[in-house]
Structures are given as structure tokens and as C-alpha cells.
């Protein structure tokens, strides 16, 4: 666990580390939206859950609008609706 220090150079390195970690998370999540990594291919049945957590992580990091255009968001929403089970009402 990291704690702030009285030494400003340590605090600088801590802040830099946090920025690098955020950049890595954004990069990973962005890739997840485009293609499912081979190591996760066995999770195809839970793709909806993976998409949920990927989009949520980008939103928490305040990067969703930078990673996904409005058109891509609309495509994602349409994909989700197409996966919904539709039953006929009698």
C-alpha cells in the first residue's frame, strides 16, 4: 500500500505511478471493447458481463468519452438490445 510522504520527490513518483496505472487500465479496457483476448475466449458466454465491467471501468476512470465515440456507444447499446430474450405476449 502506498502512503504519502513528507518527501516531495516520493509523492511525485507516487502520482506518476497512479497516472501510469490509469493509462494501463484505459489501454486494457479499450482493447477489451474491440476484441476479446485469447486468454478470455473461454468466457464467451459471459461476454455481456465483461462488456459491463469494461465500460464501467472506463467510466470510473473518466475515459469513456475519450475511448468510445457516440456512434460506438450506440452500436454497443444496439448489441445489448439484440441479445435480450423476446417473448410473445399472449
Amino acid at each position: 500500500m502506498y502512503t504519502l510522504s513528507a518527501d516531495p520527490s516520493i509523492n511525485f513518483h507516487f502520482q506518476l505511478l497512479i497516472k501510469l496505472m490509469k493509462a494501463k487500465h484505459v489501454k486494457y479496457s479499450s482493447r477489451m471493447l474491440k476484441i476479446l483476448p485469447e486468454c478470455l475466449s473461454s468466457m464467451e458466454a459471459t461476454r455481456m458481463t465483461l462488456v459491463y465491467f469494461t465500460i464501467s471501468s472506463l467510466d470510473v476512470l473518466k475515459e469513456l468519452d475519450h475511448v468510445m465515440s457516440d456512434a460506438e456507444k450506440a452500436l454497443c447499446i444496439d448489441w445489448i438490445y439484440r441479445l435480450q430474450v423476446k417473448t410473445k405476449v399472449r
Side-chain angles (χ1 to χ4, degrees):
M1 180 172 201
Y2 296 101
T3 58
L4 293 179
S5 168
D7 183 352
S9 66
I10 292 175
N11 290 336
F12 171 77
H13 292 296
F14 175 72
Q15 291 173 355
L16 182 61
L17 178 63
I18 294 296
K19 286 181 183 180
L20 290 174
M21 292 168 82
K22 178 182 176 185
K24 285 184 176 186
H25 283 292
V26 170
K27 186 176 180 179
Y28 180 78
S29 295
S30 298
R31 286 182 179 171
M32 287 283 292
L33 285 175
K34 293 176 179 36
I35 188 166
L36 192 61
E38 187 177 337
C39 63
L40 297 176
S41 62
S42 64
M43 298 183 72
E44 177 65 24
T46 58
R47 188 170 12 155
M48 179 68 77
T49 303
L50 293 171
V51 169
Y52 170 79
F53 283 107
T54 301
I55 289 174
S56 295
S57 70
L58 289 168
D59 189 39
V60 167
L61 294 169
K62 299 184 185 321
E63 293 291 330
L64 184 60
D65 291 333
H66 297 107
V67 172
M68 291 181 76
S69 67
D70 289 340
E72 289 172 322
K73 290 176 190 173
L75 286 172
C76 190
I77 291 168
D78 290 341
W79 173 75
I80 291 168
Y81 281 132
R82 283 194 313 267
L83 295 175
Q84 301 299 310
V85 176
K86 296 179 184 177
T87 59
K88 293 183 180 182
V89 178
R90 295 180 194 188

